[in-house]
Amino acid sequence: MFAYSILFVVFIVGGTALLSWPLGRYMKWAMDPDAPDVGAAGRFNVIFQAFGGSITRAQQDWQRYLIAMLIFNLMMFVVSFGIMALQQYLPLNPDGMGAAEGSLIFNTATSFTSNTNLQHYSGESTWSYMSQLGALMWLQFVSAATGIAALTALARGLAGKGMGNFFVDVQRASFLVLLPVALVVASAMVIGGMPMTFQGSAVATTLEGVQQTIARGPVAAFVAIKQLGTNGGGFFGPNSTHPFENPNFWTNAIELISIIIIPMACVWMFGRIIGRMRHATVVFGVMLALVLTRTAFAVYFETAPTQAFAQLPIEQTVGNLEGKELRFGTTSGPTWAVLTTSTSNGSVGAMHDSLNPLAGLMPMIGMWLNEDFGGVGVGMINMFLYILVGVFIAGMMVGRTPEYLGWRVEAREVKLALLALLTHGLFILGGTAIFAATPWGQDTLNNIGPHGFSEMLYEFSSASANNGSGFEGLGDNTVPWNVATGIVMLLARFIPIILPLAIVGSLMTKRRTAESAGTLGVEDGTFAGMLVATILVVGALTFFPAATLGPVAEHLIYMN
């Protein structure tokens, strides 16, 4: 079993890392071609500008880029809210889905607009095909494209090229990156046995003579972009533990690879745009090391039997199988849990609520640090914040001028970076504290003590990290939960995009200097160590007290 676990993790994570290299090269061409006015790049520019009109032809500074992004996302929210609110009157509703409750519509629209895909509903019993495709699946493309566009603009700014044009970038990300890759993955899913139909639910008669209604739909198309766009929203309530969303071992592997391949490729795209591939390699290595460390711990902690079966006459020799997809054993579930929270994906291949306490801590850490590859585009943006803080601290420690890629890092930039990092902790800890102390949270728990606290802590961690997964022992489809997590998702999505672009805008007003012997290097092991230390110190100081009240306390109770 130990050897299988190692081979499985190496196959998924190592194989994806190799595939991300050529994809990163392609993404650089797609998002920031060296010659945007000639050849295939020029033809695509003509098409995108013709479709977008005059607003796509002007170069934008960072303020105009942000305004365009925010207006576009507001329209995304309005359109998706309208489709879900009116689904009972719209076509593609063969199962006759009725109206949903208002706060749930708000939560779902904010969730998918913010690339979070937190689901307080079961998709097959709540939304019509029109809502699933016209609102939710569409948002899974354009919200992911927004993240890629934001990273491209940030990288261009650091390279001294100017920000570009948001409307062209979001079209490039949608039509040249996400759509082609999603078509390939969706085709593989259909071949693997995943449903892809517009017919309504199937009615079958069991061997006992009872009629059973089996939900189905255009699942393959939905699942492909849910994984590739680090969206995570399931077509069915059980998400990727449902056999229609995950038919066999190979679809399971394809989905795991799809979760992390574009976030990995974004690091290489970033390095190519700024022209510093050695720096990108160091950053990639730090991210990979942190992911593998948490994966190893999660798999190890799940080798212990679950306490849920401790008093039952059940032999436990293969680890914790509670809440697992038994077809895939005990390794796939915790590996999926770490990868889906190392990115902002949020899809699940096991019930996270059933993980052993310290194994459940690993996905929480991923959401707290929020930088290990992360969401499509925005993961590298979050790492940029840690890089900036690390460069500033290291420069102050050794008495060198803090610089990053030739840009002088001063108090203004560091304040904005710290504000972005600390608001993440505020949303998580503040929200958890309020709901833990009030009936809003207390009355929705199915568990008391540390585990109940962990459920609330996980929910706000997922919302703030734009992740979308949950412990799911929580009755979270209530007005307070829907409104609170909806607000957190919106703020946590756009603050970490707005502030980094403002930082780059501030850097671009300065004179860029050539690097010298006195410049702190960002392409060696010393910088990697400093970056890891910055990430861990910020994360530990912010979240360790909360961890001791939840997963750590639960583990100690079981030990005793």
Side-chain angles (χ1 to χ4, degrees), residues 294 296-305 320 356-360 362 555:
R294 287 204 314 281
F297 277 118
V299 172
Y300 171 74
F301 290 136
E302 281 301 277
T303 60
N320 179 13
N356 286 326
L358 294 185
M362 296 302 109
H555 174 73

Side-chain angles (χ1 to χ4, degrees), residues 35-377:
D37 298 324
V38 298
R43 289 192 291 274
F44 281 119
N45 260 2
V46 170
I47 294 171
F48 295 146
Q49 289 176 353
F51 181 78
S54 59
I55 59 173
T56 63
R57 297 187 180 95
Q59 288 293 306
Q60 298 169 329
D61 58 18
W62 73 270
Q63 293 102 327
R64 290 187 177 88
Y65 200 96
L66 276 176
I67 291 171
M69 181 192 72
L70 294 175
I71 292 174
F72 181 75
N73 278 261
L74 176 62
M75 295 306 299
M76 287 162 49
F77 174 85
V78 171
V79 170
S80 60
F81 189 99
I83 291 174
M84 287 184 285
L86 300 173
Q87 69 172 3
Q88 64 270 31
Y89 306 113
L90 298 175
L92 290 179
N93 189 10
D95 295 320
M97 298 297 181
E101 191 270 328
S103 69
L104 178 62
I105 297 174
F106 166 76
N107 183 273
T108 305
T110 58
S111 180
F112 281 76
T113 299
S114 62
N115 196 236
T116 306
N117 303 65
L118 189 71
Q119 294 177 284
H120 289 175
Y121 61 86
S122 187
E124 69 272 30
S125 61
T126 306
W127 304 119
S128 67
Y129 291 172
M130 173 62 79
S131 293
Q132 293 268 39
L133 297 179
L136 304 186
M137 193 179 83
W138 170 67
L139 285 177
Q140 291 186 122
F141 276 99
V142 290
S143 65
T146 296
I148 297 174
L151 175 61
T152 304
L154 182 140
R156 284 198 201 106
L158 290 174
K161 301 178 181 178
M163 291 289 185
N165 184 287
F166 171 78
F167 297 106
V168 171
D169 286 344
V170 79
Q171 290 181 86
R172 284 187 170 277
S174 298
F175 295 110
L176 299 184
V177 178
L178 295 170
L179 185 59
V181 182
L183 286 172
V184 173
V185 171
S187 299
M189 295 299 188
V190 172
I191 293 172
M194 194 174 290
M196 185 63 198
T197 178
F198 286 99
Q199 296 180 13
S201 298
V203 178
T205 303
T206 67
L207 294 177
E208 293 81 9
V210 178
Q211 280 198 336
Q212 182 179 9
T213 301
I214 303 173
R216 56 183 177 174
V219 183
F222 195 93
V223 170
I225 189 57
K226 99 170 183 182
Q227 306 296 26
L228 289 166
T230 60
N231 295 288
F235 192 93
F236 300 100
N239 209 279
S240 289
T241 62
H242 194 293
F244 283 2
E245 283 203 34
N246 199 358
N248 55 55
F249 173 85
W250 291 111
T251 59
N252 188 63
I254 292 171
E255 289 191 49
L256 281 168
I257 290 170
S258 299
I259 288 173
I260 53 175
I261 187 168
I262 294 182
M264 283 183 168
C266 282
V267 181
W268 301 128
M269 182 190 77
F270 175 81
R272 292 186 183 281
I273 293 175
I274 65 173
R276 301 289 291 270
M277 290 304 295
R278 289 183 61 184
H279 173 56
T281 301
V282 171
V283 173
F284 190 95
V286 169
M287 290 179 169
L288 187 63
L290 292 172
V291 167
L292 289 175
T293 299
R294 287 204 314 281
T295 303
F297 277 118
V299 172
Y300 171 74
F301 290 136
E302 281 301 277
T303 60
T306 176
Q307 290 295 317
F309 298 161
Q311 306 302 320
L312 299 176
I314 297 175
E315 182 179 355
Q316 298 194 68
T317 58
V318 291
N320 179 13
L321 284 175
E322 184 200 0
K324 301 294 188 306
E325 176 51 75
L326 298 183
R327 294 173 298 160
F328 307 135
T330 57
T331 301
S332 177
T335 301
W336 193 305
V338 171
L339 296 184
T340 198
T341 50
S342 295
T343 65
S344 68
N345 185 277
S347 65
V348 295
M351 174 62 78
H352 291 190
D353 198 43
S354 297
L355 296 172
N356 286 326
L358 294 185
L361 177 61
M362 296 302 109
M364 287 194 201
I365 291 174
M367 294 184 292
W368 294 341
L369 299 180
N370 204 26
E371 46 60 57
D372 298 353
F373 299 114
V376 167

Side-chain angles (χ1 to χ4, degrees), residues 27-44:
M27 287 179 64
K28 196 279 178 187
W29 172 84
M31 297 304 301
D32 187 51
D34 293 326
D37 298 324
V38 298
R43 289 192 291 274
F44 281 119

